[in-house]
Every structure is written in structure tokens, then in C-alpha cells.
Amino acid sequence: MANHKSSVKRIRQEKKRALHNHYYAKTMRNAVRKLRATTNKEEAVALFPKVQKMLDKLAKTNVIHKNKAANLKSSLALHVNKLG
């Protein structure tokens, strides 16, 4: 158990932040999954900017690594462009 009031508070804050990060990371994974499952070009083109924005925001707040966001955006762009 923590011995300082500040460390007890820090533990509380970290739990809350971890829960917050898990929620947004899971939401991002579901959005990426939905976009990859899309076979309609118009739907994919409409959905791609929203997913891209979500990835950029999560990378900015260090929920995911910036290179992971870049790799996901790249692969999703390839997927959207391949759709016919």
C-alpha cells in the first residue's frame, strides 16, 4: 500500500486514465475493423476521414503510438483505394 497521500492520489488518477484510454483504444479498433470490413467504396470514402481523425487524436494524446497511427492510416488508405 502507498505511504504518501500524493501516491494514493496518483494511483487513483492512473486507474481513471487507464480506463479512459482503454475505452478510446477499443473504440478506435472497432472503427478500423468496421472500415476494413466495408466493401462499398462510397461508404469507405465517407468513413475514412472520421477514422483518420480519430487515429490522429489518439496519437496526439499518446493513447496509441504515432507510428502505429501512421501505419494504420496508410494501410486503410490502400484498402479504400483498392475498392472498386
Side-chain angles (χ1 to χ4, degrees), residues 5-63:
K5 284 177 79 174
S6 61
S7 58
V8 172
K9 181 178 178 181
R10 175 63 56 201
I11 290 167
R12 277 198 321 266
Q13 288 174 328
E14 286 169 354
K15 277 185 187 174
K16 185 177 178 183
R17 178 56 59 190
L19 187 65
H20 178 267
N21 288 346
H22 285 300
Y23 170 78
Y24 282 103
K26 183 67 174 176
T27 305
M28 177 268 304
R29 284 196 301 271
N30 287 337
V32 169
R33 212 173 279 133
K34 183 178 177 185
L35 182 57
R36 282 209 176 112
T38 304
T39 55
N40 185 356
K41 176 95 172 178
E42 290 78 32
E43 285 179 32
V45 168
L47 190 60
F48 182 62
K50 294 173 187 170
V51 174
Q52 195 172 15
K53 184 178 178 183
M54 185 186 303
L55 289 168
D56 287 335
K57 279 186 176 181
L58 293 178
K60 189 172 93 175
T61 57
N62 291 321
V63 175

